[in-house]
Amino acid sequence: MAKFDCNWCGKCCASFGEFIKIERQLTERDYYCRYGITNEIFPVHVQPEFADEIADDFIDSDPKEADPARKGCIFSRKNPAGKGFACAIYPNRPAICREFECYRMLIHHPQSGETRGKVIGINELKTNDEILAAIWKEKIAHIPHPFNDTHASLRNATGAGSPAVHGHDSHILAHIQDLGHGDDKEWVSAVITILAAHGYHGDPVE
C-alpha cells in the first residue's frame, strides 16, 4: 500500500469554514468549537505561534452569524516554517481532520514508474492520462460503491439551505457513518483488478 504524503497544500481545509466554528474562548489559547455536521462541541488548544492571530480573528467575528467570506477553516494558517499551510490546532484537531486523506489510491504505470492518477472521494479520478481516464469512465466509474447507498443523506446534513454537495462530501459521509477504507475493500479489489488488466497498477493509500 502507498503511504499518504501530505504536501501542505491546504486544500483539505479550504471549505471546512462552514463546518468548524469557534463558539467560545476560554483562555488565550483554548476554545470551544462546534462541528456543524454532527453539532458536537469539542475543545481545542491553539499552538503558540498562531495564538494572537486566531484570537484577533475570533474577536472580529460573530459566532452567531455565518461569515459568507470565510470558506476555509479558521485554524488553517500560512505555514510559518515553510511553504503551504499549517493547522493551528494540529495536535488536537478533530477526528474528521485526523482521518482525512485527500486521495485514497495512486495509479501507476508499471513500465514507466510514473504516477498517472489519483482517486479521490468515493470514486473520482484525477488524471492527465487520456487512456486511463477512458478506462475509468468505461470500466470503473459505474461500479456500485458501498458508500453510494447512503450518499444522499448528506445532502441535508447541515440543515435547510445547505449546499447540495460539499467538496469533502464522501469523507464527511464516511465519518458520520463510521466507515473506513476496510468497508469498501471489495470495490478497491475490483478496481485494482481492472486496472491491472489494462496495464496499470492501483496502489491504495494506507
Side-chain angles (χ1 to χ4, degrees), residues 105 107 132 135-136 140 191-202:
M105 182 186 291
I107 301 176
L132 176 59
I135 293 168
W136 192 272
I140 298 174
V191 170
I192 290 173
T193 299
I194 293 170
L195 291 172
H198 292 81
Y200 292 89
H201 174 67

Side-chain angles (χ1 to χ4, degrees), residues 172-185:
I172 293 170
L173 176 67
H175 177 74
I176 293 171
Q177 301 291 337
D178 196 25
L179 299 173
H181 291 299
D183 296 286
D184 64 349
K185 58 186 177 183

Side-chain angles (χ1 to χ4, degrees), residues 49-204:
E49 61 268 34
F50 301 108
D52 290 343
E53 55 183 308
I54 296 292
D56 289 344
D57 276 7
F58 177 64
I59 290 171
D60 292 340
S61 68
D62 184 346
K64 296 180 181 178
E65 296 183 7
D67 179 3
R70 176 172 290 282
K71 298 296 183 184
C73 177
I74 191 171
F75 298 113
S76 177
R77 301 286 156 164
K78 281 285 188 181
N79 182 10
K83 66 176 183 178
F85 293 83
C87 175
I89 57 168
Y90 190 81
N92 55 97
R93 64 200 185 282
I96 191 168
C97 302
R98 291 179 181 277
E99 297 164 1
F100 186 82
E101 293 171 347
C102 56
Y103 57 90
R104 61 197 205 89
M105 182 186 291
L106 298 176
I107 301 176
H108 306 291
H109 189 263
Q111 293 180 347
S112 67
E114 297 175 344
T115 298
R116 295 290 182 86
K118 294 181 177 180
V119 180
I120 65 174
I122 290 177
N123 64 354
E124 182 180 350
L125 175 68
K126 294 291 186 183
T127 183
N128 292 319
D129 183 327
E130 293 182 2
I131 295 175
L132 176 59
I135 293 168
W136 192 272
K137 181 178 179 180
E138 296 170 10
K139 306 288 186 179
I140 298 174
H142 66 279
I143 299 176
H145 191 281
F147 290 4
N148 282 332
D149 292 340
T150 52
H151 186 246
S153 67
L154 181 66
R155 296 184 181 276
N156 296 312
T158 56
S162 305
V165 177
H166 181 261
H168 304 311
D169 55 354
S170 61
H171 174 65
I172 293 170
L173 176 67
H175 177 74
I176 293 171
Q177 301 291 337
D178 196 25
L179 299 173
H181 291 299
D183 296 286
D184 64 349
K185 58 186 177 183
E186 291 184 7
W187 182 88
V188 170
S189 179
V191 170
I192 290 173
T193 299
I194 293 170
L195 291 172
H198 292 81
Y200 292 89
H201 174 67
D203 199 358

